[in-house]
Amino acid sequence: MWHFQNHDSPPLPPLLPFFFLTALPAQPDSSTYTNCPSYKCGDVNISYPFWMMDRDDPAQVCGYHGFGINCVDNRGRSYPEITLGHHSYYVHNIDNGYRSILLSDTNVSSFGPGPIDCPRVRHGINLQTLPLNFSMLNVNLSFHYNCNGFPSFATEIPCLQLEKTQGKSYVHVMHSSIEETDWDAYSCADQVVTAVIGEHIHMFPDLSRQLGEILDKGFQLQWRMDDDDCENCEDSGGRISLDI
Ligand SMILES: *[C@@H]1O[C@H](CO)[C@@H](O)[C@H](O)[C@H]1NC(C)=O
Ligand SMILES: *[C@@H]1O[C@H](CO)[C@@H](O)[C@H](O)[C@H]1NC(C)=O
Ligand SMILES: *[C@@H]1O[C@H](CO)[C@@H](O)[C@H](O)[C@H]1NC(C)=O
Ligand SMILES: *[C@@H]1O[C@H](CO)[C@@H](O)[C@H](O)[C@H]1NC(C)=O
């Protein structure tokens, strides 16, 4: 189970907020900052350092450069979407306590348009120089497309072989940040690495068939900010953070 998220927790008894205030870094209450307002898109609350791109709201002048979120409509529902390194990701959840965000690649996610029969990861995750890092919950999956052979630890993804003449495609979990085996010998046409939540690999152990579920559930990033960031942004009239 995914137990780090706020929405899974039962309502807090009255004394607990005091516990959190002392145990966690102080969280700015965005509702008290007029330049750091919070918004809702679908089920997701969006507040500083994130901001809504599609609102023409003159009050909203705070937020990190690159942390703008679009609220897109799909079949009558709204989904928050963020762009990282020219690729778009659905935002499943933003946890201000852990400063973590759960994202899934729109190319392989059923979150918006619906189920995807045969997901093909088309690009890696490029965090550029944004103040983001991969959380400890992730593992990396490495994909190799149209190969003429494979090492024994890789799992074939049969649905990606559209024609008999085409090479086969494979996926494997990476146990370090570099590829342990030299894939050059297998002449793959393309290779991509993405992140998923490690727990979901165990929940859906049949990689060749349950890849869609694993990818759909996404990966987690954490962001860095100073505790008094929002307040500083307010005091500056909202100009600091947008310009970094
Ligand atoms: C979103 O914000 C509203 C209003 O502040 C709050 O009642 C609700 O619990 C929040 N939802 C989540 C998922 O944090
Ligand atoms: C993959 O996502 C990108 C945006 O990130 C989009 O431009 C492209 O059309 C998508 N490709 C497919 C095949 O879904
Ligand atoms: C990511 O950054 C956060 C905040 O700076 C830090 O607490 C966490 O340990 C980092 N995670 C990894 C995997 O380095
Ligand atoms: C996954 O790959 C990213 C990007 O190369 C790297 O920063 C991260 O440390 C890797 N994660 C693991 C668990 O190896």
Side-chain angles (χ1 to χ4, degrees):
M1 264 310 291
W2 177 247
H3 44 254
F4 290 99
Q5 304 305 320
N6 279 339
H7 60 81
D8 284 339
S9 318
L12 295 169
L15 277 175
L16 270 177
F18 289 101
F19 167 76
F20 279 115
L21 281 177
T22 53
L24 288 175
Q27 294 302 307
D29 174 8
S30 35
S31 60
T32 64
Y33 297 99
T34 51
N35 286 338
C36 301
S38 73
Y39 298 92
K40 198 161 174 108
C41 172
D43 299 328
V44 183
N45 287 340
I46 291 152
S47 60
Y48 186 86
F50 298 92
W51 48 283
M52 297 290 282
M53 295 178 90
D54 48 355
R55 297 287 153 89
D56 194 13
D57 185 349
Q60 188 193 305
V61 290
C62 285
Y64 283 9
H65 179 73
F67 280 25
I69 286 178
N70 253 314
C71 199
V72 296
D73 281 316
N74 197 302
R75 300 183 306 177
R77 289 193 59 186
S78 300
Y79 299 92
E81 215 179 87
I82 192 167
T83 301
L84 300 175
H86 305 295
H87 298 294
S88 56
Y89 298 86
Y90 291 119
V91 179
H92 294 232
N93 174 278
I94 298 178
D95 187 326
N96 286 83
Y98 285 94
R99 291 179 182 163
S100 67
I101 182 167
L102 185 68
L103 304 176
S104 64
D105 178 352
T106 56
N107 283 163
V108 292
S109 179
S110 65
F111 197 55
I116 292 178
D117 290 338
C118 187
R120 181 186 171 113
V121 178
R122 291 165 191 281
H123 54 79
I125 303 161
N126 183 356
L127 303 181
Q128 299 164 296
T129 54
L130 295 171
L132 289 169
N133 64 3
F134 290 98
S135 88
M136 304 287 283
L137 299 185
N138 301 304
V139 297
N140 288 329
L141 287 183
S142 177
F143 293 87
H144 301 264
Y145 300 112
N146 297 358
C147 310
N148 63 17
F150 68 106
S152 58
F153 56 81
T155 302
E156 189 189 338
I157 314 168
C159 69
L160 286 175
Q161 190 183 23
L162 301 175
E163 294 155 37
K164 277 265 178 323
T165 54
Q166 212 176 25
K168 294 181 178 181
S169 297
Y170 302 90
V171 61
H172 68 95
V173 176
M174 288 181 81
H175 298 290
S176 77
S177 49
I178 52 155
E179 205 65 74
E180 290 110 287
T181 295
D182 185 5
W183 278 74
D184 284 354
Y186 308 113
S187 312
C188 306
D190 196 11
Q191 160 175 344
V192 161
V193 174
T194 197
V196 296
I197 303 284
E199 221 167 275
H200 295 149
I201 304 246
H202 301 291
M203 253 165 89
F204 303 102
D206 185 354
L207 256 192
S208 73
R209 292 212 205 91
Q210 295 181 303
L211 197 54
E213 276 98 326
I214 298 168
L215 291 169
D216 194 32
K217 293 191 178 293
F219 57 92
Q220 192 188 49
L221 301 177
Q222 287 182 287
W223 72 84
R224 295 182 288 278
M225 73 174 188
D226 295 327
D227 289 336
D228 48 5
D229 242 15
C230 185
E231 201 175 338
N232 291 342
C233 179
E234 288 274 296
D235 292 346
S236 72
R239 299 292 161 222
I240 291 177
S241 293
L242 278 175
D243 293 338
I244 12 176

Coordinates of all heavy atoms in Angstrom, one line a residue, residues 125 127 133-141 174-178 193-196, ligand 4:
I125 N 13.3 10.9 -17.7 CA 12.8 12.0 -16.9 C 13.9 13.0 -16.7 O 15.0 12.7 -16.1 CB 12.3 11.5 -15.5 CG1 11.2 10.4 -15.7 CG2 11.8 12.7 -14.7 CD1 11.0 9.6 -14.5
L127 N 15.1 16.3 -15.0 CA 14.8 17.3 -13.9 C 15.5 18.6 -14.2 O 15.3 19.5 -13.4 CB 15.1 16.7 -12.5 CG 14.4 15.4 -12.2 CD1 14.9 15.0 -10.8 CD2 12.9 15.5 -12.3
N133 N 14.5 16.3 -6.7 CA 15.2 15.1 -6.7 C 14.3 13.9 -6.7 O 13.1 14.0 -6.3 CB 16.3 15.0 -5.7 CG 15.8 15.0 -4.3 OD1 14.6 14.9 -4.0 ND2 16.7 15.0 -3.3
F134 N 14.8 12.7 -7.1 CA 14.1 11.5 -7.1 C 14.0 11.0 -5.6 O 15.1 11.0 -4.9 CB 14.7 10.4 -7.9 CG 14.6 10.7 -9.4 CD1 15.6 11.2 -10.1 CD2 13.4 10.3 -10.1 CE1 15.5 11.5 -11.5 CE2 13.3 10.6 -11.4 CZ 14.3 11.2 -12.1
S135 N 12.9 10.6 -5.1 CA 12.8 10.2 -3.7 C 13.4 8.8 -3.6 O 13.6 8.1 -4.5 CB 11.4 10.3 -3.2 OG 10.7 9.1 -3.4
M136 N 13.5 8.4 -2.3 CA 14.1 7.0 -2.0 C 13.1 5.9 -2.4 O 13.5 4.8 -2.4 CB 14.3 6.9 -0.5 CG 15.3 8.0 0.0 SD 17.0 7.7 -0.5 CE 17.4 6.3 0.6
L137 N 11.9 6.3 -2.7 CA 10.9 5.2 -3.0 C 11.0 4.7 -4.4 O 10.4 3.6 -4.7 CB 9.4 5.8 -2.8 CG 9.0 6.3 -1.4 CD1 7.6 6.7 -1.4 CD2 9.3 5.2 -0.4
N138 N 11.7 5.4 -5.2 CA 11.8 5.0 -6.6 C 12.8 3.9 -6.9 O 13.8 3.8 -6.2 CB 12.1 6.2 -7.5 CG 11.1 7.3 -7.4 OD1 9.9 7.1 -7.6 ND2 11.6 8.5 -7.0
V139 N 12.6 3.2 -8.0 CA 13.6 2.4 -8.6 C 13.6 2.8 -10.1 O 12.6 3.3 -10.6 CB 13.5 0.9 -8.5 CG1 13.5 0.5 -7.0 CG2 12.2 0.4 -9.1
N140 N 14.7 2.5 -10.8 CA 14.7 2.8 -12.2 C 14.4 1.6 -13.1 O 14.9 0.5 -12.7 CB 16.1 3.4 -12.6 CG 16.3 4.8 -12.1 OD1 15.3 5.5 -11.9 ND2 17.5 5.2 -11.8
L141 N 13.7 1.8 -14.1 CA 13.4 0.7 -15.1 C 14.1 1.1 -16.4 O 14.0 2.3 -16.8 CB 11.9 0.6 -15.4 CG 11.0 0.0 -14.4 CD1 9.6 -0.1 -14.9 CD2 11.5 -1.4 -14.0
M174 N 16.9 -1.6 -12.7 CA 18.3 -1.2 -12.5 C 18.7 -1.2 -11.1 O 17.9 -0.7 -10.2 CB 18.5 0.2 -13.1 CG 18.5 0.2 -14.6 SD 18.8 1.9 -15.2 CE 20.6 1.9 -15.2
H175 N 19.8 -1.9 -10.8 CA 20.2 -2.0 -9.4 C 21.2 -1.0 -9.0 O 21.7 -0.9 -7.9 CB 20.6 -3.4 -9.1 CG 19.5 -4.4 -9.3 ND1 18.5 -4.5 -8.4 CD2 19.3 -5.3 -10.2 CE1 17.6 -5.4 -8.8 NE2 18.1 -5.9 -10.0
S176 N 21.7 -0.2 -10.0 CA 22.5 1.0 -9.7 C 22.2 2.0 -10.7 O 21.4 1.8 -11.6 CB 24.0 0.6 -9.7 OG 24.4 0.5 -11.0
S177 N 22.8 3.2 -10.6 CA 22.4 4.2 -11.5 C 23.1 4.1 -12.9 O 22.8 4.8 -13.8 CB 22.7 5.6 -10.9 OG 24.0 5.7 -10.4
I178 N 24.0 3.1 -13.0 CA 24.5 2.8 -14.4 C 24.1 1.4 -14.8 O 23.9 0.5 -13.9 CB 26.0 3.0 -14.5 CG1 26.7 2.2 -13.4 CG2 26.4 4.5 -14.5 CD1 28.1 1.8 -13.8
V193 N 15.4 5.2 -19.8 CA 15.3 4.8 -18.4 C 14.3 5.7 -17.8 O 14.2 6.9 -18.1 CB 16.7 5.1 -17.7 CG1 16.5 4.9 -16.2 CG2 17.7 4.1 -18.2
T194 N 13.4 5.1 -17.0 CA 12.4 5.9 -16.3 C 12.3 5.4 -14.8 O 12.9 4.4 -14.5 CB 11.0 5.8 -17.0 OG1 10.2 6.9 -16.5 CG2 10.3 4.5 -16.7
A195 N 11.6 6.2 -14.0 CA 11.5 5.8 -12.6 C 10.1 5.3 -12.2 O 9.2 5.9 -12.8 CB 11.9 7.0 -11.7
V196 N 10.0 4.4 -11.3 CA 8.7 3.9 -10.8 C 8.9 3.7 -9.3 O 10.0 3.7 -8.8 CB 8.2 2.6 -11.5 CG1 8.0 2.8 -13.0 CG2 9.2 1.5 -11.3
Ligands
LIG4 C1 17.7 6.5 -11.2 O1 18.2 7.3 -12.2 C2 18.4 8.7 -11.9 C3 18.8 9.4 -13.1 O2 19.9 8.8 -13.7 C4 19.3 8.8 -10.7 O3 19.5 10.1 -10.3 C5 18.8 8.0 -9.5 O4 19.7 8.0 -8.5 C6 18.5 6.5 -10.0 N1 17.8 5.9 -8.9 C7 18.2 4.7 -8.4 C8 17.4 4.2 -7.3 O5 19.2 4.1 -8.8

